[in-house]
Amino acid sequence: MIEIGKRAKAAARAMAAASTGVKDEALAGIARALKENADDILDANTADLERGEAGGVARALLDRLMLTPERIDSIAGAVRDVIALRDPVGEVIGGRKRPNGLDITEVRVPLGVVGIIYEARPNVTVDAAALCIKSGNACILRGSRTAIESNTVLARLIRGALADAGLPGDAVQLVEDTSRESVGELMKMRGTVDVLIPRGGAELIRSVVEGSSVPVIETGVGNCHVYVDAAADVSKAIPIVINAKTHRPSVCNAAESLLVHRAIADDVMPKIIEELSARGVEIRGDEATRSYSDAVVPATEEDYRTEFLDLTISAKIVGTLDEAIEHVNTHGTLHTEAIVTEDYSAAQRFAAEVDAACVMINASTRFADGGEFGLGAEIGISTQKLHARGPFALEALTTSKYVVRGSGQVRE
């Protein structure tokens, strides 16, 4: 791990000085390599899936792990999207001319060496590498044992594309040691690693936040809510709830909890229950929700706090907008919350008072994504409030420095 850190530090210096054209050339090479080597990637991924199934890996995790030709195309497309983004490095954020003649500018610069600890999502290997390359950073990737075969092939292709473009392959390094010890060492590499980003379940994130001496940017779990307000348009509400829960239930921006205002519950709740049940969703609800269908099972307090990552949703009837906001702020994870309403003031209050990185008004929670926001790929959704919040994309991988130009001034 020490040697990996040294190589990453040296590579970070070269990446910080790399031109946009060279970085984009490397990214184009990555996108081509993914397409040209899709069979090798799928073979490695099949080995991971077979090992995961034999080891009893949960269905939701297997879905995150699985690659298909379509998903590889999508990953390559995300890399091409990053090429199209403006290079943030060197951008002048602000400036001023002082009375003494000093010219002061604040410019964007790379973070340096970014460590990323993540679970069984091989797409993160490519997304994270692409974003770090474009933003002039080096990255150390520590994926999970579950995806090691897929990640190894992907890292090899990425490093080859870097070398072909004349950039150091060590700008992207995969930690092939999947033991807990390697994570512990990475968390203690302060001075070599500039920032650490955990992406995964609540336990992984908590252990990194609590155990790291390296500064951590937290990408949180997603106990996301959809609140159907008294003034909701039913024709919008039902598709939004269904999409938010069932489009891809294993990801962090899927809805995990449904709140419905009592005034509209008779109109909308039976239809939502019918649609969700038809798609195999288990609904865990309060007494008022259960009154609409025997298919609804009793919800516990823990259910309202759970990120299911599966075809399960908690549900509750609320009497007021205030009750909905209080429930979201009590049980949510600061990720993404949605309101369905035609009442402008209710929408504004929800957006202002709900504590979350992303708030959706009359739209599915599934749009909480860097690509959908036009930011290119993302490393995750940052749920913290310092440095960056929301989709952790290109600009979030930079910081700033002040450059002061003088003509011989000294301070008196």
Side-chain angles (χ1 to χ4, degrees):
M1 291 302 295
I2 292 172
E3 186 58 32
I4 287 174
K6 287 180 179 178
R7 295 199 302 266
K9 201 72 172 177
R13 289 192 288 271
M15 292 301 296
S19 69
T20 302
V22 172
K23 292 186 291 186
D24 285 348
E25 182 184 343
L27 292 171
I30 292 170
R32 284 195 305 272
L34 292 172
K35 299 278 284 184
E36 292 170 0
N37 296 274
D39 289 343
D40 290 343
I41 297 168
L42 291 171
D43 287 346
N45 187 246
T46 298
D48 285 330
L49 287 167
E50 289 175 349
R51 188 175 61 254
E53 289 172 355
V57 172
R59 180 177 62 180
L61 204 60
L62 288 174
D63 177 65
R64 291 185 174 202
L65 170 62
M66 183 174 60
L67 294 175
T68 63
E70 293 75 21
R71 288 187 181 181
I72 292 174
D73 285 345
S74 177
I75 294 168
V79 176
R80 289 191 293 271
D81 289 343
V82 173
I83 295 172
L85 295 174
R86 177 185 50 78
D87 188 345
V89 178
E91 176 191 356
V92 176
I93 301 171
R96 59 188 58 83
K97 188 85 169 182
R98 300 296 296 148
N100 62 2
L102 290 179
D103 185 7
I104 301 172
T105 56
E106 183 184 6
V107 298
R108 290 194 187 279
V109 295
L111 290 171
V113 177
V114 179
I116 303 165
I117 301 173
Y118 54 106
E119 293 177 340
R121 295 192 64 169
N123 65 294
V124 174
T125 301
V126 182
D127 290 348
L131 289 168
C132 285
I133 290 166
K134 182 80 175 197
S135 56
N137 293 290
C139 62
I140 299 174
L141 306 174
R142 200 293 190 177
S144 67
R145 179 183 294 107
T146 313
I148 187 60
E149 301 293 338
S150 305
N151 288 340
T152 299
V153 172
L154 293 170
R156 173 174 56 79
L157 296 175
I158 292 166
R159 288 168 62 86
L162 283 165
D164 289 345
L167 293 171
D170 287 337
V172 176
Q173 295 184 77
L174 177 72
V175 179
E176 297 184 13
D177 178 359
T178 58
S179 67
R180 289 183 178 272
E181 287 74 18
S182 66
V183 174
E185 290 180 39
L186 186 56
M187 291 193 297
K188 301 303 180 185
M189 291 171 65
R190 189 180 182 95
T192 301
V193 177
D194 294 287
V195 66
L196 201 55
I197 304 171
R199 180 171 179 177
E203 183 179 350
L204 168 66
I205 294 168
R206 180 189 54 77
S207 66
V208 174
V209 169
E210 294 178 358
S212 179
S213 63
V214 176
V216 175
I217 295 174
E218 184 174 347
T219 61
V221 297
N223 183 17
C224 306
H225 297 72
V226 177
Y227 165 55
V228 181
D229 184 51
D233 181 336
V234 175
S235 68
K236 295 177 185 176
I238 295 173
I240 287 171
V241 172
I242 301 308
N243 181 263
K245 178 67 259 181
T246 68
H247 181 256
R248 195 174 175 196
S250 67
V251 294
C252 62
N253 59 15
E256 304 290 17
S257 192
L258 168 67
L259 303 175
V260 176
H261 195 289
R262 185 180 297 118
I264 202 173
D266 287 349
D267 290 334
V268 73
M269 189 59 94
K271 298 172 185 175
I272 290 176
I273 292 172
E274 181 182 1
E275 294 284 350
L276 288 174
S277 297
R279 290 164 173 79
V281 178
E282 178 184 299
I283 305 162
R284 302 179 185 180
D286 63 344
E287 184 176 350
T289 303
R290 296 200 309 277
S291 71
Y292 290 102
S293 173
D294 292 338
V296 182
V297 301
T300 66
E301 177 63 20
E302 185 60 27
D303 287 330
Y304 290 117
R305 298 182 182 276
T306 299
E307 183 189 35
F308 296 107
L309 299 174
D310 207 344
L311 289 173
T312 305
I313 193 169
S314 63
K316 185 177 183 180
I317 306 294
V318 296
T320 65
L321 173 62
D322 286 324
E323 186 181 350
I325 292 171
E326 178 64 24
H327 182 95
V328 169
N329 285 338
T330 299
H331 300 89
T333 52
L334 313 180
H335 194 293
T336 301
E337 310 296 356
I339 181 173
V340 185
T341 187
E342 299 302 304
D343 183 334
Y344 177 81
S345 63
Q348 292 301 101
R349 277 199 58 205
F350 189 87
E353 297 178 30
V354 160
D355 191 6
C358 305
V359 176
M360 305 293 177
I361 300 171
N362 293 325
S364 170
T365 58
R366 287 285 287 120
F367 286 108
D369 175 86
E372 295 293 335
F373 282 13
L375 303 174
E378 66 173 34
I379 291 178
I381 301 291
S382 171
T383 56
Q384 64 176 30
K385 299 182 181 180
L386 297 179
H387 179 66
R389 198 178 193 199
F392 198 87
L394 199 58
E395 283 191 0
L397 284 163
T398 64
T399 183
S400 66
K401 70 167 57 170
Y402 284 91
V403 178
V404 182
R405 292 177 175 84
S407 55
Q409 290 93 332
V410 295
R411 185 170 178 176
E412 296 180 359

